[in-house]
């Protein structure tokens, strides 16, 4: 917008030559189309029978996943409205750990229903108000239908973990993995001074290893460091060891500036090499004098220093990841040291350390009173399998932690959505004005979840929804869809259980995003603004928009989704 002037008492907006503008119904239609395209791109991944997406980057790296937030983050989305919907997934992931696909799908359906109302000449303001009223009522009803859960109820927590992992890479070994997840969460659960249950997942570390099956994954008390022993002559174990965590190199100190040496004889060269050796010897002596039995170094260790450490009987590993070093600090209760010259015994931690030569892993179990931290060692046959397994386990950890903290669960399989939708429809009768239609449209949007679950399982979505509504009208609040048999069952009794917090957060995020999009009635672009806004046949190639539309990853994903 270059300037604004008054002409005949009316404001006149003067745009640059390349600027374009889209107003009113056109702007709303454009934005809604973009949002719907995002929702469509992940909808087919929802549920136990959801399909996977293959994401190919511009560099050729491949990601195979059905994790909603991963798909949306990896896609190269240029449309600003579409990016707003992606934020729904990111918020859901940050706040609840799971339910990203559901939240985005519901947001897209809310906007699709809003578009129908707009075409009936219902103003966006009335729709926004109705959605807000319905969202508040829906969250209240979630609280009403939620079941309380005891943090010590291991079986129910395992069902929450298994539900989260079903349909993901972790599904094949979900029973064994769910047990590991629940044990990991319980290991880092404490009761705060005010009586609240607190779960700190920062003390759960995840390591991966290829070449073995997922069923061989294990939970270890302490840390696992995926590094090789620095020197073959070093010991492979140390009980009740003093552990040094070092974030500086055990190497020759570099000069501040480039320098050249002129040597007149071989003796001078030997003197120079002797001084370098002496410098390394002093560093190792300082470590030994402090009493360190094990050294984990974030940076490099000189070959000669490795030899000196081995002669002192000290176990060492170099190039340890910064994140591993931070986790080792919690496990060993030691400090991360940056200056070897100032090293003292008080900076050392304590742990039992064992090196597994066959797997090239260090197992570190803290021995101090305040030591805390556990490690999930996830195994899979290939890198792609392990990556997807790690994503699935990450979601399961989050939802179990949320369940323990919040203390409430819901019946899954679309049961809670159908029940809440029924109650929101009843509430709509008490809403006056055109907002009533928006409240009813909100209820319809919630029922997208069982419809998509059925569709992804190859079932008739309309018949399924009719059966579910009938069961809920008869008072069966936990009636949901068994996607494997196509029958309506009591999903809570069947062990399909989801955390209440994730549902509340999903509804809140989806509603806020939909209302934000609906409130826009004018788009002013500094460059080319496409007015097509139509979703391409390939799916998530996406609508054109400001800055070139919603292309796929690195230009290579256009019609693949």
């Amino acid at each position: 917008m270059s300037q604004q002037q008054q002409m005949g008492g009316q404001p006149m907006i003067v745009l640059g030559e390349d600027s374009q503008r889209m107003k009113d119904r056109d702007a709303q239609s454009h934005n809604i189309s973009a949002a719907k395209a995002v929702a469509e791109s992940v909808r087919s991944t929802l549920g136990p029978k959801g399909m996977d997406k293959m994401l190919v980057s511009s560099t050729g790296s491949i990601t195979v996943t059905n994790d909603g937030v991963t798909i949306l983050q990896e896609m190269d989305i240029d449309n600003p409205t579409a990016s707003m919907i992606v934020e729904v997934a990111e918020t859901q992931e940050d706040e609840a750990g799971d339910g990203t696909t559901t939240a985005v799908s519901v947001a897209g359906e809310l906007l699709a229903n809003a578009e129908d109302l707009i075409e009936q000449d219902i103003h966006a303001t009335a729709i926004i108000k109705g959605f807000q009223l319905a969202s508040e009522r829906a969250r209240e009803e979630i609280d009403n239908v939620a079941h309380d859960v005891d943090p010590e109820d291991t079986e129910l927590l395992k069902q929450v973990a298994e539900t989260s992992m079903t349909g993901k890479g972790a599904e094949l070994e979900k029973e064994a993995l769910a047990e590991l997840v629940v044990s990991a969460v319980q290991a880092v659960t404490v009761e705060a001074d005010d009586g609240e249950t607190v779960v700190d997942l920062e003390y759960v570390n995840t390591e991966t290893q290829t070449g073995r099956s997922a069923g061989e994954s294990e939970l270890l008390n302490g840390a696992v460091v995926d590094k090789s022993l620095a020197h073959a002559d070093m010991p492979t174990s140390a009980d009740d060891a003093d552990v040094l965590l070092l974030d500086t190199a055990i190497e020759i100190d570099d000069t501040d500036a480039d320098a050249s040496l002129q040597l007149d004889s071989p003796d001078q060269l030997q003197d120079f090499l002797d001084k370098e050796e002496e410098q390394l010897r002093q560093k190792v002596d300082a470590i030994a004098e402090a009493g360190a039995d094990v050294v984990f170094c974030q940076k490099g260790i000189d070959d000669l220093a490795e030899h000196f450490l081995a002669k002192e009987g000290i176990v060492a590993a170099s190039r340890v990841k910064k994140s591993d070093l931070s986790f080792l600090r919690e496990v060993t209760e030691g400090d991360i040291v940056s200056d070897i010259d100032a090293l003292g015994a008080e900076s050392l931690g304590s742990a039992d350390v064992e090196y597994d030569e066959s797997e090239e892993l260090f197992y570190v179990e803290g021995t101090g009173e305040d030591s805390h931290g556990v490690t999930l060692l996830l195994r899979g046959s290939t890198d792609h399998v392990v990556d997807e397994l790690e994503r699935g386990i990450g979601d399961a950890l989050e939802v179990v932690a949320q369940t323990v903290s919040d203390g409430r669960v819901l019946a899954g399989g679309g049961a809670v959505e159908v029940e809440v939708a029924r109650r929101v429809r009843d509430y709509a009768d008490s809403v006056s004005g055109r907002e009533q239609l928006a409240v009813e449209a909100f209820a319809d949007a919630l029922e997208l979840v069982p419809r998509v679950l059925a569709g992804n399982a190859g079932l008739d979505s309309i018949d399924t929804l009719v059966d579910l509504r009938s069961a809920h009208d008869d008072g069966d609040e936990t009636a949901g869809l068994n996607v494997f048999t196509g029958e309506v069952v009591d999903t809570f009794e069947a062990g399909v259980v989801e955390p209440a917090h994730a549902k509340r957060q999903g509804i809140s995020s989806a509603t806020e995003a939909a209302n934000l999009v609906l409130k826009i009635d004018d788009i002013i672009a500094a460059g080319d603004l496409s007015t097509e806004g139509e979703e391409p046949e390939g799916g998530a190639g996406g609508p054109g928009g400001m800055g070139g539309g919603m292309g796929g990853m690195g230009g290579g994903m256009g019609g693949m989704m």
Side-chain angles (χ1 to χ4, degrees), residues 467-506:
D467 293 342
L468 285 170
R469 282 180 176 177
S470 176
H472 283 263
D473 288 341
D474 291 340
D476 190 352
E477 295 181 358
T478 55
L481 174 65
N482 182 331
V483 297
F484 301 101
T485 65
E487 298 175 351
V488 173
V489 299
D490 186 330
T491 49
F492 193 84
E493 289 295 325
V496 183
V497 188
E498 299 176 334
H501 174 78
K503 289 295 182 187
R504 280 182 56 90
Q505 179 63 43

Side-chain angles (χ1 to χ4, degrees), residues 223-241:
V224 175
V225 181
D226 188 5
K227 286 293 173 183
S228 301
L229 194 66
H231 195 281
D233 292 338
M234 288 178 175
T236 56
S237 65
D239 294 333
D240 198 18

Side-chain angles (χ1 to χ4, degrees), residues 7-52:
M7 179 175 286
Q10 297 295 321
M12 179 181 69
I13 297 178
V14 181
L15 301 176
E17 290 183 5
D18 295 332
S19 298
Q20 294 196 22
R21 186 177 186 183
M22 188 182 295
K23 295 180 63 177
D24 303 328
R25 190 69 63 85
D26 288 340
Q28 290 170 333
S29 177
H30 172 86
N31 287 334
I32 289 172
S33 295
K36 285 163 61 179
V38 176
E40 286 290 341
S41 69
V42 296
R43 188 174 292 181
S44 65
T45 68
L46 184 65
K49 295 288 189 176
M51 303 298 285
D52 290 351

